[in-house]
């Protein structure tokens, strides 16, 4: 594949993906987009900020290569103010909004921002990293209300988008991925609850919606 590839989200998974793509796909111009990174080709982007998304559009339109691949690897499970809820009484509207902002709204607004650059005559791929806990059918343990629900919402947004893009961009593909439990800043505070053999990357199994 030849052209521009954007990996959005300069965290553990996004940075590794950008490095791997850079190594394996010599014809792709791989740009990592996020808040900060040491990666050699980096565009600053706050995916929750509409002005920042506008600036991203300018950068894409000024780039000489056609856009061929976008991977969203942003997400948030916890922050200084945000902790995944263990029970109903932990729900807080501000925290629920924060989780939905990054885990549900931003990925689909990223798709909206890049849509005008989808080439009609070439294959184009958009992938977003969701989470297994966003599966309603697979929810056995409850808890993590906001993160789970925001990832379920992300899945639903992209299901609808896949129907629209199938009509408008027949050469475009949309993929939602759950990465398994990966050792990054996002999951580290919760590792003690994960048996050692379960700290693994995606094993190809399909999870119900
Ligand atoms: N690690 C796992 O076990 C696991 C499991 C299931 C799903 N996932 C999903 O995998 C994806 C990648 O997670 P990760 O493990 O790589 O976590 P991570 O290391 O925490 O990376 C998440 C990245 O998202 C970025 N981000 C958050 N808000 C942003 C914003 N407004 N604008 C730009 N970037 C923003 C963060 O940047 P800042 O540091 O600047 O906030 C961080 O670099 C997420 O969608 C996550 O939900 C991970």
């Amino acid at each position: 594949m030849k052209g521009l590839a954007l990996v959005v989200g300069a965290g553990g998974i996004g940075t590794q993906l950008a490095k791997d793509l850079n190594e394996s796909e010599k014809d792709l111009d791989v740009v990592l987009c996020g808040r900060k990174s040491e990666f050699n080709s980096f565009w600053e982007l706050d995916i929750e900020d509409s002005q920042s998304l506008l600036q991203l559009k300018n950068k894409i339109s000024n780039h000489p290569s056609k856009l061929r691949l976008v991977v969203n690897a942003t997400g948030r499970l916890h922050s200084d103010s945000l902790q995944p809820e263990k029970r109903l009484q932990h729900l807080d509207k501000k925290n629920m909004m924060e989780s939905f902002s990054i885990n549900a709204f931003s990925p689909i607004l990223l798709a909206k921002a890049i849509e005008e650059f989808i080439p009609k005559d070439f294959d184009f791929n958009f992938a977003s990293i969701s989470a297994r806990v966003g599966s309603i059918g697979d929810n056995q343990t409850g808890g993590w209300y906001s993160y789970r629900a925001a990832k379920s919402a992300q899945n639903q947004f992209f299901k609808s988008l896949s129907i629209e893009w199938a009509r408008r961009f027949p050469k475009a593909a949309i993929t939602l991925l759950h990465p398994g439990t990966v050792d990054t800043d996002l999951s580290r505070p919760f590792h003690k609850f994960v048996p050692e053999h379960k700290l693994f990357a995606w094993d190809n199994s399909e999870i119900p919606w």
Side-chain angles (χ1 to χ4, degrees), residues 66-102:
K66 276 191 192 304
L67 187 62
R68 303 296 303 277
L69 172 67
V70 177
V71 184
N72 168 53
T74 62
R76 198 175 308 140
L77 174 60
H78 60 90
S79 67
D80 290 345
S81 55
L82 185 74
Q83 280 300 319
E85 309 93 350
K86 289 188 178 147
R87 51 179 176 272
L88 179 65
Q89 292 305 319
H90 294 164
L91 286 175
D92 170 86
K93 190 169 175 187
K94 189 169 152 287
N95 289 343
M96 294 164 85
M97 299 283 279
E98 179 177 342
S99 187
F100 268 72
S101 168
I102 184 65

Side-chain angles (χ1 to χ4, degrees), residues 18-113:
K19 285 181 182 164
D20 288 352
L21 270 175
N22 208 28
E23 274 297 301
S24 62
E25 300 292 329
K26 296 294 180 204
D27 287 337
L28 276 181
D29 295 328
V30 181
V31 179
L32 182 61
C33 307
R35 292 206 270 221
K36 57 179 183 315
S37 171
E38 311 274 288
F39 192 70
N40 56 2
S41 189
F42 177 70
W43 290 349
E44 208 172 306
L45 172 67
D46 181 341
I47 196 181
E48 291 171 275
D49 182 284
S50 49
Q51 281 305 318
S52 192
L53 283 172
L54 271 181
Q55 287 162 11
L56 175 71
K57 287 169 75 155
N58 282 335
K59 287 173 186 156
I60 300 171
S61 60
N62 289 328
H63 197 278
S65 311
K66 276 191 192 304
L67 187 62
R68 303 296 303 277
L69 172 67
V70 177
V71 184
N72 168 53
T74 62
R76 198 175 308 140
L77 174 60
H78 60 90
S79 67
D80 290 345
S81 55
L82 185 74
Q83 280 300 319
E85 309 93 350
K86 289 188 178 147
R87 51 179 176 272
L88 179 65
Q89 292 305 319
H90 294 164
L91 286 175
D92 170 86
K93 190 169 175 187
K94 189 169 152 287
N95 289 343
M96 294 164 85
M97 299 283 279
E98 179 177 342
S99 187
F100 268 72
S101 168
I102 184 65
N103 295 308
F105 304 148
S106 294
I108 194 73
L109 290 173
L110 174 68
K112 179 185 172 193

Side-chain angles (χ1 to χ4, degrees), residues 191-205:
H191 283 183
K192 61 175 184 260
F193 304 112
V194 183
E196 205 168 314
H197 66 282
K198 289 272 188 182
L199 201 57
F200 61 100
W202 182 51
D203 65 357
N204 290 317
S205 56

